[in-house]
């Protein structure tokens, strides 16, 4: 935490950022009907549930691909490459 930002830290942060963004979109899809009733303008309300789901799926896919690449390169333990199969 006290060191300089390096490539490894930036790539790992990107993985977690993609995962959190995708999870956030998934949560918005789940809350769609209550958001409409409350006139809350979320991505799912603005762009539709289907578009938000596709965007969430794409972000999760990119995150899993990044995790696989990191495992193959040896940045993270190789066993994490197997998690792509679960996706």
């Amino acid at each position: 935490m006290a060191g300089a930002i390096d490539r490894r830290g930036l790539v790992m942060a990107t993985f977690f950022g993609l995962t959190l963004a995708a999870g956030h979109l998934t949560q918005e899809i789940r809350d769609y009907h209550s958001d409409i009733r409350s006139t809350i303008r979320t991505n799912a309300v603005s762009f539709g549930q289907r578009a938000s789901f596709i965007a969430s799926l794409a972000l999760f896919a990119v995150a899993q691909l990044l995790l696989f690449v990191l495992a193959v390169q040896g940045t993270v333990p190789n066993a994490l490459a197997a998690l792509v199969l679960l996706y």
Side-chain angles (χ1 to χ4, degrees), residues 3-86:
I5 297 174
D6 61 349
R7 179 195 163 284
R8 182 176 181 227
L10 189 60
V11 175
M12 291 297 298
T14 301
F15 166 75
F16 286 108
L18 287 168
T19 302
L20 289 171
H24 181 75
L25 283 173
T26 303
Q27 182 67 34
E28 286 184 3
I29 295 165
R30 196 178 95 180
D31 294 339
Y32 174 79
H33 296 293
S34 62
D35 290 344
I36 290 241
R37 281 193 304 268
S38 302
T39 64
I40 298 172
R41 197 165 165 95
T42 62
N43 288 311
V45 171
S46 297
F47 302 111
Q49 285 180 297
R50 186 177 184 88
S52 294
F53 176 75
I54 291 170
S56 175
L57 189 63
L59 287 173
F60 274 127
V62 171
Q64 290 302 309
L65 178 64
L66 182 58
L67 182 63
F68 180 77
V69 169
L70 290 173
V72 169
Q73 289 178 344
T75 305
V76 297
N78 289 338
L80 292 178
L83 290 177
V84 174
L85 297 174
L86 295 175

